Amino acid sequence: MKNETLLPDLTNVVTALRQQQVIAYPTEAVFGLGCDPDSESAVQALLKLKQRPWQKGLILVAEHYAQLTDYIDDSALDNAARERMFACWPGPVTWVVPARPTTPRWLTGQYASLAVRVSAFEPVRRLCLAFGKPLVSTSANLIGLPPARTAGEVREQLGAVFPVLDEAVEGRCNPSEIRDALSGELIRQG
């Protein structure tokens, strides 16, 4: 696919991602901050911007499950765990899955697991498909401020030239539910 076939905003944010920049994009409930999960410098820039400790770990959002298999230990999942996950995907449920031993600590933080989601929201899916891999996903807001729900709010908090996929959020009220893939246990209510 040539970049000329992409929407201008999509082309701009994909270019920014490939240049190891942090971008903002609409998700199911709020705007997210994202970057290339394989770029330590991009993840560090995102953590610095958010003033988020690396130990907390991050979420990866993907267009399809295969985009996540380089980061998670699929062999650690039994059939029941896979059935739980796939019954909710694509959709607004994030699952905490054992990480591969090779998954960078800048993604997993202090954990041996990684939070992952396969989104059903079309702008997220288009972005991950155009970029060719999953994105780091955390709410687009500075510490102490509410998560941005519009591109305008992103620019108010992060600056007029911050790379933003300027589309509407899906409209959900709450961030994604988070569950443990192995036990099914609820970690955060959605």
Side-chain angles (χ1 to χ4, degrees), residues 130-142:
F131 187 48
K133 60 176 144 179
L135 298 173
V136 168
S137 185
T138 186
S139 62
N141 61 294
L142 298 176

Side-chain angles (χ1 to χ4, degrees), residues 50-170:
K50 287 278 294 187
Q51 296 181 17
R52 180 185 173 96
W54 71 270
Q55 293 90 340
K56 286 178 116 177
L58 293 162
I59 294 174
L60 294 188
V61 64
E63 193 265 337
H64 53 79
Y65 184 71
Q67 286 188 328
L68 299 169
T69 57
D70 286 345
Y71 306 93
I72 60 171
D73 184 0
D74 183 71
S75 69
L77 300 172
D78 61 17
N79 287 337
R82 277 192 199 87
E83 286 175 17
R84 277 193 294 273
M85 289 169 50
F86 295 151
C88 299
W89 279 351
V93 178
T94 297
W95 292 92
V96 177
V97 179
R100 286 181 172 264
T102 54
T103 301
R105 300 271 296 162
W106 64 76
L107 297 176
T108 62
Q110 64 184 351
Y111 305 102
S113 57
L114 184 64
V116 294
R117 181 170 79 252
V118 174
S119 181
F121 186 46
E122 195 54 38
V124 173
R125 294 173 68 83
R126 275 196 325 268
L127 182 55
C128 291
L129 187 63
F131 187 48
K133 60 176 144 179
L135 298 173
V136 168
S137 185
T138 186
S139 62
N141 61 294
L142 298 176
I143 193 165
L145 295 176
R149 292 189 181 264
T150 67
E153 290 176 6
V154 170
R155 290 183 179 106
E156 285 174 22
Q157 289 190 40
L158 303 174
V161 297
F162 198 86
V164 179
L165 181 59
D166 194 346
E167 296 187 35
V169 298
E170 186 178 47

Side-chain angles (χ1 to χ4, degrees), residues 5-74:
T5 64
L6 300 175
L7 300 172
D9 278 350
L10 185 60
T11 300
N12 292 341
V13 294
V14 168
T15 298
L17 287 167
R18 290 188 177 134
Q19 294 171 347
Q20 300 183 21
Q21 295 179 38
V22 178
I23 59 117
Y25 58 97
T27 69
E28 294 86 351
V30 298
F31 266 76
L33 288 179
C35 66
D36 182 344
D38 298 320
S39 169
E40 183 176 10
S41 64
V43 173
Q44 293 302 330
L46 182 145
L47 293 172
K48 183 178 179 182
L49 180 65
K50 287 278 294 187
Q51 296 181 17
R52 180 185 173 96
W54 71 270
Q55 293 90 340
K56 286 178 116 177
L58 293 162
I59 294 174
L60 294 188
V61 64
E63 193 265 337
H64 53 79
Y65 184 71
Q67 286 188 328
L68 299 169
T69 57
D70 286 345
Y71 306 93
I72 60 171
D73 184 0
D74 183 71

